[in-house]
Amino acid sequence: FIYKPVKTYSSGMYVRLAFSVVINMQPDILIIDEALAVGDAGFQRKCFRKLDELKYNNVTILFVTHATDAIVAHCDRAVFLEKGGVKEIGKPKTVVNNYLESLFNGRYKTSKEAARAKEKFVVSKELNTDSRVDGCPYRASYNATEYRWGNGEGRIIDYTVLNKERGEIGAICKAGSDVTIAASVYFPGAQQNLVYGLTIKTVDGITVFGSNSMKIGFQAGIAEAGEVIRVEFGVGLQLISGEYFFSIGVVSVEKGSEDIILDRRYDLFRLHIEDDATAFGYAALPFSVNTKGKPAGARC
């Protein structure tokens, strides 16, 4: 392709060429506008390695993108632009949350009636089913700095983390544990085409795992007006030792239209995962080392 006119290149090849030229010019300021979106995984990884190198050499990088995870993972500050103006400047995680909120239905707000009911609420090990009260803050693993938004037509009013050996666990969990994350979701009005989701992120906001009922082919169905539904997520915590934040959400999905966010609770609770410190990273994968014809190897 080096001997062919640039006009014959695909859009992806064209942007790759431009990016490759620019990053090898040793710039003082580098502006990237969605250039990484066109590349495959190998190209993107190579680009981010180069960006890390440029950052180390004190190059200022302006990264324009809709890939929010990339902003949280690689940027020191973020700017939220809306309708041609600067809406917010700050920490990437905070700005990204506000950007996502603006795309959907706004932040969920607690009513005065709920505030009064909370004063009379009795804490229980069972999941709360009182629609007027949010039982989440009473759980040991609850994260007080959670970020919540939605139109309130579906409300996550409690959660708990369970395993077979100990029942309800607190804020500490052993690596490799199979747990059930149960949540109570209240629906003030009838809803259909419901999807329930769970996301696990690091302290830095990097997504370790995420899925939902629709992705795995589970038909969550409908909810009647005034109904409280118990939702259970089963997940194996094959994670390396560290702090992890868990988010739960419920949306209504209509074909041909945008998802309706009923309630999303980002970083709702946090778990400290404990292991025997035989590895590093995020995922606790089966791993062994051996040498042929030598004494038996080691395994973790």
Side-chain angles (χ1 to χ4, degrees), residues 223-279:
E224 303 293 338
E227 185 176 8
V228 176
I229 293 179
R230 178 186 175 99
V231 182
E232 294 186 350
F233 305 96
V235 59
L237 299 179
Q238 309 297 330
L239 300 170
I240 299 298
S241 178
E243 300 285 332
Y244 295 89
F245 288 84
F246 293 70
S247 306
I248 298 176
V250 55
V251 305
S252 177
V253 178
E254 296 288 346
K255 289 185 178 180
S257 61
E258 293 185 354
D259 297 350
I260 301 173
I261 310 301
L262 307 183
D263 196 5
R264 271 186 176 165
R265 304 190 70 159
Y266 270 29
D267 299 342
L268 173 60
F269 65 95
R270 63 190 296 173
L271 291 179
H272 177 75
I273 306 297
E274 292 184 334
D275 65 10
D276 51 7
T278 58

Side-chain angles (χ1 to χ4, degrees), residues 1-11 13-15 17-18:
F1 284 93
I2 193 68
Y3 301 107
K4 294 184 178 181
V6 173
K7 67 181 180 180
T8 67
Y9 288 10
S10 67
S11 59
M13 290 175 63
Y14 187 86
V15 175
L17 176 61

Side-chain angles (χ1 to χ4, degrees), residues 20-124:
S20 301
V21 171
V22 170
I23 63 173
N24 284 285
M25 293 175 62
Q26 297 182 341
D28 293 321
I29 300 174
L30 175 62
I31 301 176
I32 308 170
D33 186 0
E34 297 285 8
L36 306 185
V38 299
D40 55 36
F43 173 73
Q44 290 184 23
R45 184 68 198 115
K46 184 162 60 175
C47 290
F48 281 122
R49 284 201 302 268
K50 184 63 178 180
L51 293 181
D52 289 340
E53 178 185 327
L54 293 173
K55 285 175 64 178
Y56 180 79
N57 291 324
N58 295 320
V59 174
T60 298
I61 302 172
L62 180 59
F63 185 29
V64 185
T65 182
H66 295 93
T68 54
D69 279 355
I71 292 175
V72 173
H74 298 284
C75 298
D76 301 310
R77 299 178 72 213
V79 181
F80 177 12
L81 302 177
E82 185 176 56
K83 298 179 180 179
V86 176
K87 187 172 182 179
E88 183 179 6
I89 301 177
K91 294 181 179 179
K93 188 175 180 180
T94 301
V95 175
V96 162
N97 280 338
N98 289 335
Y99 164 72
L100 292 173
E101 178 186 345
S102 73
L103 294 181
F104 301 105
N105 306 83
R107 192 181 300 185
Y108 172 81
K109 297 181 180 180
T110 303
S111 66
K112 293 181 179 180
E113 180 187 1
R116 289 193 294 269
K118 182 179 178 181
E119 297 176 357
K120 302 178 182 179
F121 182 64
V122 178
V123 180
S124 171

Side-chain angles (χ1 to χ4, degrees), residues 123-136:
V123 180
S124 171
K125 289 186 177 181
E126 299 297 324
L127 278 178
N128 170 46
T129 58
D130 185 343
S131 62
R132 301 170 301 170
V133 180
D134 179 14
C136 297

Side-chain angles (χ1 to χ4, degrees), residues 33 101 123 144 161 166 174 209 263 282 289 291 294 296:
D33 186 0
E101 178 186 345
V123 180
V161 184
R166 296 168 51 193
K174 189 174 181 181
F209 172 84
D263 196 5
Y282 300 131
V289 179
T291 51
K294 299 292 182 179

